[in-house]
Amino acid sequence: MDHFQIRDGVMHAEDVNLAALAKQVGTPFYCYSSATMERHFTVFRDAVAGLGDGNPLVAFAVKANPNLAVLATLARLGAGADVVSGGELARALAAGMPASRIVFSGVGKTRAELAAGVEAGILQFNVESEAEIDMLAEVAAAKGATVEIAIRINPAVDPKTHGKISTGGADAKFGIPWERLPAAFAQAAAHPNLRPVGLAAHIGSQLTKLEPVEDAIRKLGDLARQLEAAGHQIKRIDVGGGLGVPYRRDQAPPPSPADYAAMVARATEGWPWRLMFEPGRMIVGNAGVLVSEVILTKEGASKHFIVVDAAMNDLLRPSLYNAWHDILAVHPKTARTRATVVGPICETGDTFAEDREMEDVAAGDLVAFMTAGAYGATMASTYNSRPLVPEVMVKGAEWAIVSQRNQPAAMLALDAKAPWL
Ligand code: LLP
């Protein structure tokens, strides 16, 4: 459920008219609905509330949408943060997420990033390799700190999602192969500055099947018991994120948070450990749209092209993953057409929709790319020297620009001619 609805013939974000907003901020722009993300977070939090030791941590995967206002909205509801870089850590802290609710994931954290996490006093590092165990021990020792870690396992399950966002297969770069966990735990336990207290797994994103997640969770439980039998004290199990969201109004939705929670309840029955979750997309995906204006339409040899002012640099998912985003007219049209929707960038990959049956929009019309709240603005680039677009947050009838459009002149000012030029 989201709060982008047609009212009086025009799409609104909550109580804000998107056409009026476009006049004020210019296109393209991202627009987020705080009510939608609040609702998604609360639904998820409540669905998993009683699981594990009864005090689960829902750590929002910051990578999905690191905007400060988004993080602050979630922080107020008690969300923690799953961060994967020093930049994300700084954002989570700046947004008011307490260090005690921050977990640091990632396959290649640098010494400086590890040090920043140690200094902040975060809850847990999810360590992904034997080499990182030693690195973190060194960094913690240098700071005279003792840190709690979970080891991310590679559960060797096939998450049955798009190859580029699958992370759980045996040959993925993530985690330590689960067979090596006892040795890795012993290695960590031998360092006086490390306290290995947990296990973690994340098998992939936009998951539409729960069975692979269940397999991974059961593997985590088996391993935790095995490690406890070997004398380790397990406190927390992090089952990652990954739950898919509906991208297409004409297709059956993926499992709901309630379905997901029921599966986790089954797989973790009788667990004494604290559970951690790292949802990203399901919290913010449907809480954002990208609003764009049709620049012109043109006829190819056989195709009808709709050229919009947003491009692959603003919303990369269609060109990178062939991802589908519904494209709806901000002023709904009854006439339909079959069109290829493209941006202005000089490559064929700058295509949002291929020969799609959709509303017959024309030059000057506004369209909304739906479900663009996750992995949208955060994956934007300035390719073709296009400025990053603004992000707007709506709450009821109020709105605020929560990230500025960077101006071409400011972008140019970051460059310099080399001294010999
Ligand atoms: N935890 C870890 C360790 C992750 O690597 C990820 C996502 C998440 C949690 C959050 O997963 P989510 O709940 O959002 O599915 N750019 C891609 C998605 C990449 C996901 C990477 N990892 C896309 O646009 O589809």
Side-chain angles (χ1 to χ4, degrees), residues 61 63-64 82 84 105-106 128 152 164-165 167 174 201-202 204-207 240-244 247 278-282 317 320-321 374-376 379:
K63 63 171 79 66
D82 164 44
V84 293
S105 305
E128 300 217 17
R152 177 169 177 184
K164 282 202 173 125
I165 53 175
T167 47
F174 301 98
H202 169 81
S205 199
Q206 186 55 16
L207 305 174
L243 185 57
Y247 277 97
E278 301 173 350
R281 191 190 312 264
M282 76 103 358
R317 304 191 68 258
L320 193 56
Y321 315 118
Y375 306 109
M379 290 176 72

Side-chain angles (χ1 to χ4, degrees), residues 334-346:
T334 41
R336 317 259 324 156
T337 184
R338 183 165 281 281
T340 294
V341 182
V342 300
I345 282 183
C346 306

